[in-house]
């Protein structure tokens, strides 16, 4: 488990060259979970863009990406579930280094997944970074806000009650 969780929502400008700054709080976790070595002088972020129904890119620290890979490796070799997990979560991912100024350049497949393909960055855009404890999700801001608006919180259940239910089950 991470020493610190990815928490919060942040909005950052994406410039015309597809560069975006990772929020400082998220960078600190990436740095803590990917110590600098001679072979890797900068912290890395592992970006998963697979999954047809996903409207976001899931981002992991080195430690988080290693933990995800270990869980996939524990699945039955050759099973359809493992094949799909490997295809969508391992093959369709990219590792990039965080620049010293805290920025990353969004790779083409990541831009495509987020809806920043082609000329859509000419006027810039905004990315939403959403913390999810051991990872964060990266969305185009409009997609994130639309997803939040679609959420069905009309069930009257307090989110803390959901956490309590999970604790009783596990």
């Amino acid at each position: 488990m991470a020493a610190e969780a990815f928490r919060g929502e942040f909005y950052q400008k994406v410039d015309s060259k597809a560069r975006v700054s990772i929020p400082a709080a998220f960078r600190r976790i990436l740095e803590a979970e990917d110590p600098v070595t001679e072979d890797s002088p900068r912290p890395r972020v592992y970006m998963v863009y697979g999954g047809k129904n996903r409207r976001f890119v899931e981002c992991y620290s080195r430690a988080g990406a290693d933990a995800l890979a270990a869980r996939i490796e524990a699945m039955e070799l050759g099973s359809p579930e493992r094949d799909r997990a490997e295809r969508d979560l391992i093959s369709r991912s990219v590792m990039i280094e965080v620049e010293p100024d805290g920025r990353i350049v969004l790779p083409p497949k990541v831009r495509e997944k987020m809806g920043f393909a082609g000329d859509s960055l000419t006027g810039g855009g905004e990315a939403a970074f959403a913390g999810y404890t051991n990872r964060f999700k990266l969305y185009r801001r409009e997609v994130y806000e639309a997803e939040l608006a679609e959420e069905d919180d009309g069930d009257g259940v307090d989110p803390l009650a959901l956490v309590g239910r999970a604790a009783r089950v596990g």
Side-chain angles (χ1 to χ4, degrees):
M1 175 129 179
E4 182 67 39
F6 291 105
R7 302 173 196 271
E9 300 172 305
F10 303 91
Y11 298 100
Q12 302 282 43
K13 295 276 186 206
V14 179
D15 72 14
S16 61
K17 295 180 181 175
R19 296 177 300 199
V20 64
S21 291
I22 295 178
F26 289 6
R27 282 197 315 267
R28 283 194 298 276
I29 296 169
L30 294 171
E31 291 163 0
E33 294 190 4
D34 189 9
V36 171
T37 66
E38 197 172 299
D39 293 336
S40 62
R42 293 187 263 176
R44 295 165 284 192
V45 61
Y46 294 76
M47 307 179 87
V48 177
Y49 57 83
K52 290 180 183 176
N53 295 324
R54 294 169 147 220
R55 299 177 345 172
F56 54 86
V57 173
E58 205 156 40
C59 301
Y60 293 86
S61 67
R62 163 112 191 254
D66 288 348
L68 176 63
R71 290 181 70 190
I72 292 169
E73 287 175 349
M75 297 171 77
E76 182 183 345
L77 187 61
S79 70
E81 295 84 4
R82 179 171 172 166
D83 288 348
R84 180 176 177 194
E86 286 178 322
R87 179 191 68 227
D88 286 346
L89 303 174
I90 303 296
S91 296
R92 293 183 179 152
S93 69
V94 63
M95 180 275 295
I96 56 174
E97 292 184 343
V98 179
E99 298 294 328
D101 64 2
R103 291 191 303 183
I104 57 172
V105 176
L106 299 173
K109 294 277 189 179
V110 169
R111 289 195 305 264
E112 182 179 318
K113 183 70 169 188
M114 294 177 68
F116 285 128
D119 294 333
S120 64
L121 280 174
T122 305
E126 269 191 295
F129 290 78
Y132 279 79
T133 61
N134 67 335
R135 66 203 184 284
F136 61 92
K137 294 181 181 179
L138 186 56
Y139 296 81
R140 187 178 181 126
R141 182 178 184 146
E142 298 83 17
V143 171
Y144 180 66
E145 290 177 345
E147 191 171 287
L148 290 177
E150 291 172 7
E151 284 185 359
D152 183 17
D153 291 338
D155 58 10
V157 176
D158 185 309
L160 282 175
L162 298 173
V163 174
R165 287 182 197 163
R168 285 192 301 271
V169 171

